[in-house]
Amino acid sequence: MKTLSLVLLLCSVLSAQIRLRDVDAARAQLRPWLDAVAMVESGADDQAVGDGGKAIGRFQIWRIYWADAVQRCPALRDAVYGDVTDRVYAERIVVAYMLRYCPQAVADKDWERLSRVHNGGPHGHRKDATVGYWRKVEKQLARN
């Protein structure tokens, strides 16, 4: 049953749009990773501002990252970029982004690839510059 659910999720994700129910199902599966990334990015501070004001919220989400996520998940378009300071909305944005760019990593719970894509963009898993970030997330996952 679990495998069937993952296959259905992958099929829906690979289609043009991502459904909110798929985002929320993946959120539940990615809980340990989401919590670790939030701690690494901001100490899980929903009001955090970084990168000279370009990144906000617990996940330090940039506007372009947000735009990518809402482009593929229309249900997330009802809010504005500034709403990434809300924990649930921010988690949905991060998961929608991951479902857009690395759905197999979501299905596999590939924490390294997810971390490196979060940090370095759609091809972040190929960038040497994201390895250090992954190590921080990996340590936080071990602590949790």
Side-chain angles (χ1 to χ4, degrees):
M1 182 65 177
K2 190 173 186 179
T3 303
L4 178 60
S5 296
L6 288 175
V7 169
L8 292 173
L9 173 64
L10 275 176
C11 289
S12 70
V13 165
L14 294 174
S15 65
Q17 295 183 340
I18 300 166
R19 297 175 302 199
L20 188 58
R21 70 178 178 199
D22 294 330
V23 169
D24 284 338
R27 261 179 70 223
Q29 297 298 313
L30 299 179
R31 173 60 44 215
W33 178 77
L34 288 167
D35 291 344
V37 169
M39 287 303 294
V40 168
E41 288 287 355
S42 67
D45 179 359
D46 290 315
Q47 303 307 313
V49 177
D51 296 325
K54 294 179 184 176
I56 60 174
R58 69 178 37 225
F59 296 104
Q60 293 297 278
I61 296 171
W62 285 48
R63 185 177 296 273
I64 194 165
Y65 184 114
W66 170 81
D68 271 356
V70 300
Q71 183 181 29
R72 279 297 284 281
C73 185
L76 296 173
R77 293 181 191 155
D78 292 339
V80 297
Y81 168 62
D83 290 336
V84 298
T85 57
D86 173 80
R87 182 188 61 81
V88 172
Y89 185 70
E91 288 178 352
R92 285 174 167 168
I93 291 296
V94 170
V95 172
Y97 188 90
M98 295 304 141
L99 288 171
R100 179 175 188 173
Y101 289 111
C102 50
Q104 190 61 53
V106 172
D108 295 343
K109 296 182 185 175
D110 182 345
W111 303 147
E112 179 178 357
R113 184 167 182 161
L114 293 169
S115 298
R116 294 178 70 190
V117 168
H118 175 72
N119 183 246
H123 303 289
H125 62 289
R126 297 182 188 150
K127 298 176 182 177
D128 290 339
T130 62
V131 173
Y133 180 81
W134 157 239
R135 296 290 178 231
K136 291 177 187 177
V137 174
E138 184 178 37
K139 286 180 186 174
Q140 188 61 47
L141 281 162
R143 284 186 199 116
N144 294 350

